Amino acid sequence: MSHSGITLILIMSIAVLAPLLAYGATRRLPVPLVIFEILLGILIGPDALGWAHVDALIDGLSELGLAMLIFLAGYEIEFGTVRGDTLRRSLGAWVIALALGLGVGMLLGGGFHKGVFIGVALTSTALGTVLPVLRDAGHLHGRFGSVVMAFGAVGEFGPIIAMALLLSGRNPARSTALLAVFAALTAGAVYWALRPRPPWFSRVIAKTLHSSGQFAVRFVFLLLALMLGASQALGLDVLLGAFAAGLITRLVLTGAAPRSGPAILEKVEAVGFGFLVPIFFVVTGIEFDLDSLLQSGRTLLLLPVFLLLFLVVRGGPVWFLAPDDLGRRGRGALVLYSSTALPLVVAITTIGLDDKALTAGEAAALVGAAMVSVLVFPLLALKIGAGAGERTRPTESVTGSESW
């Protein structure tokens, strides 16, 4: 059997084992599923048992898993709640975090080039990782969930934009122009998504939803492929296309098939969380450079430093700009969720290594800190009371200003 086949069997074995371990652990401690996927990936990787190796096939599946994770994060955004004051606060918090991150990054990295990679990584939020935790805890839909979604969406989308502008290696003016073209394409797609669909569209969705045709599911993946292709054609990060595809897909299905939307999402999530997303997290563990992390005391020391910086750089502005009605416990939980990072940190450090801006040890310390954040921060958020903000939600006025 080829190395790809053996590695894929090992990855899918971990994908099956991880939920069992997570289920067993919830009796004592609600450990996020991705932690088991990553740790078991490290165990079978080259720096531990050496059973699994990443080649072109596995790497391609992992990239699809990351795109699917970002797509589902974009799909979860509810435009009716992510708006107004909460959106302005989340944007302000991320902009302040970016300024802090770039400053800290340049101090740690000793220059602008390396500092940009470190700084942008410190501003990210793993919304795709946080949402399943919120969903499983029953906190996703409600006041607190909508606030986390707003801050998390900006923490996911903002670094992608920053990557396109600052980490692409192109002239900033050219990058801005390409982003403007992509924004225009996305705006056109949103306009198309909001237009009424012909009656036959809804009929075909309903008729094939439980048949081998699966028109709606295939249509969703066509939208994802188109947006990924558009971003790649413009030389932008494909994660930008994946996030936009999630937003557009929600608008299309909400308008064309409101009754079938939840069932369609379940099918798409089955493909994502059942197959592609676990591959991404397990491969993250397999590719984790444990040797580089442990090769020197300075590199190992960087891990807790970066972990603290996630809280200070990303979480600090969130604490001060969080909506007042959340209360201290809800505000603290929001800080912890917003400071949880991983997928974009992996993407950014990969670019940094390819660009020779980051050393293997620095990249391993950043990814290691992000992995610890995924393990520790959501657990602490659940412990201090993720739903604390629900109890203090103010009564909304139909005619008054939007307070979110």
Side-chain angles (χ1 to χ4, degrees):
M1 185 179 293
S2 66
H3 288 301
S4 296
I6 294 173
T7 299
L8 187 58
I9 290 173
L10 289 170
I11 290 172
M12 296 316 300
S13 298
I14 290 175
V16 172
L17 178 61
L20 298 177
L21 295 175
Y23 175 77
T26 52
R27 299 179 181 180
R28 296 184 178 180
L29 194 66
V31 181
L33 174 65
V34 298
I35 292 304
F36 293 106
E37 294 169 345
I38 294 171
L39 291 179
L40 291 173
I42 293 175
L43 180 64
I44 67 172
D47 290 346
L49 296 176
W51 294 348
H53 301 275
V54 176
D55 56 14
L57 173 61
I58 301 300
D59 188 59
L61 288 173
S62 175
E63 290 183 3
L64 280 176
L66 176 57
M68 196 67 190
L69 185 67
I70 302 301
F71 168 84
L72 290 169
Y75 187 94
E76 289 284 1
I77 303 301
E78 298 179 5
F79 289 96
T81 58
V82 181
R83 55 190 174 91
D85 183 62
T86 295
L87 183 58
R88 287 190 291 271
R89 288 172 179 267
S90 60
L91 286 169
W94 185 80
V95 171
I96 295 172
L98 180 62
L100 290 173
L102 292 176
V104 170
M106 284 186 283
L107 287 174
L108 286 176
F112 178 78
H113 191 48
K114 180 180 293 188
V116 169
F117 285 93
I118 295 174
V120 174
L122 292 175
T123 68
S124 67
T125 296
L127 181 62
T129 305
V130 166
L131 289 180
V133 177
L134 286 171
R135 185 188 296 111
D136 294 344
H139 298 143
L140 180 57
H141 300 290
R143 168 60 171 158
F144 181 79
S146 69
V147 174
V148 174
M149 203 174 294
F151 279 80
V154 175
E156 190 102 63
F157 199 64
I160 294 175
I161 298 295
M163 288 168 63
L165 289 173
L166 302 174
L167 306 181
S168 63
R170 291 188 298 262
N171 181 283
R174 175 175 167 78
S175 296
T176 303
L178 291 174
L179 272 175
V181 172
F182 183 81
L185 291 174
T186 303
V190 169
Y191 174 76
W192 169 81
L194 292 172
R195 289 174 61 85
R197 305 267 76 78
W200 63 263
F201 190 85
S202 299
R203 288 198 299 269
V204 173
I205 287 178
K207 188 167 184 176
T208 62
L209 187 58
H210 301 290
S211 72
S212 60
Q214 297 292 323
F215 171 77
V217 177
R218 298 182 186 194
F219 183 77
V220 167
F221 283 107
L222 172 62
L223 287 177
L224 175 59
L226 287 172
M227 296 308 295
L228 291 178
S231 59
Q232 191 170 41
L234 293 171
L236 302 173
D237 197 291
V238 293
L239 301 185
L240 190 63
F243 197 88
L247 298 175
I248 294 165
T249 300
R250 186 182 188 93
L251 293 175
V252 172
L253 296 182
T254 300
R259 295 183 179 178
S260 303
I264 297 169
L265 178 60
E266 286 181 4
K267 293 175 179 289
V268 175
E269 284 183 333
V271 177
F273 292 124
F275 178 53
L276 292 173
V277 174
I279 292 178
F280 165 70
F281 284 117
V282 176
V283 169
T284 296
I286 293 173
E287 293 185 325
F288 182 69
D289 197 340
L290 189 61
D291 285 344
S292 295
L293 179 64
L294 301 176
Q295 70 181 359
S296 71
R298 178 188 178 276
T299 303
L300 192 60
L301 182 62
L302 281 176
L303 192 152
V305 170
F306 284 138
L307 183 65
L308 178 62
L309 287 175
F310 281 129
L311 272 177
V312 174
V313 172
R314 180 70 180 116
V318 170
W319 173 270
F320 289 106
L321 290 178
D324 296 332
D325 64 290
L326 288 187
R328 292 183 64 86
R329 292 171 66 86
R331 188 182 296 253
L334 177 62
V335 166
L336 289 165
Y337 281 129
S338 299
S339 303
T340 302
L342 184 60
L344 289 181
V345 175
V346 173
I348 291 168
T349 53
T350 300
I351 297 172
L353 286 171
D354 292 341
D355 203 41
K356 294 183 172 52
L358 297 176
T359 66
E362 291 166 339
L366 262 173
V367 174
M371 289 165 54
V372 175
S373 77
V374 171
L375 172 62
V376 175
F377 293 166
L379 292 179
L380 291 176
L382 289 172
K383 187 174 181 61
I384 69 174
E390 302 283 347
R391 296 189 294 271
T392 59
R393 178 175 177 175
T395 303
E396 298 174 79
S397 172
V398 176
T399 58
S401 61
E402 192 270 337
S403 62
W404 291 14

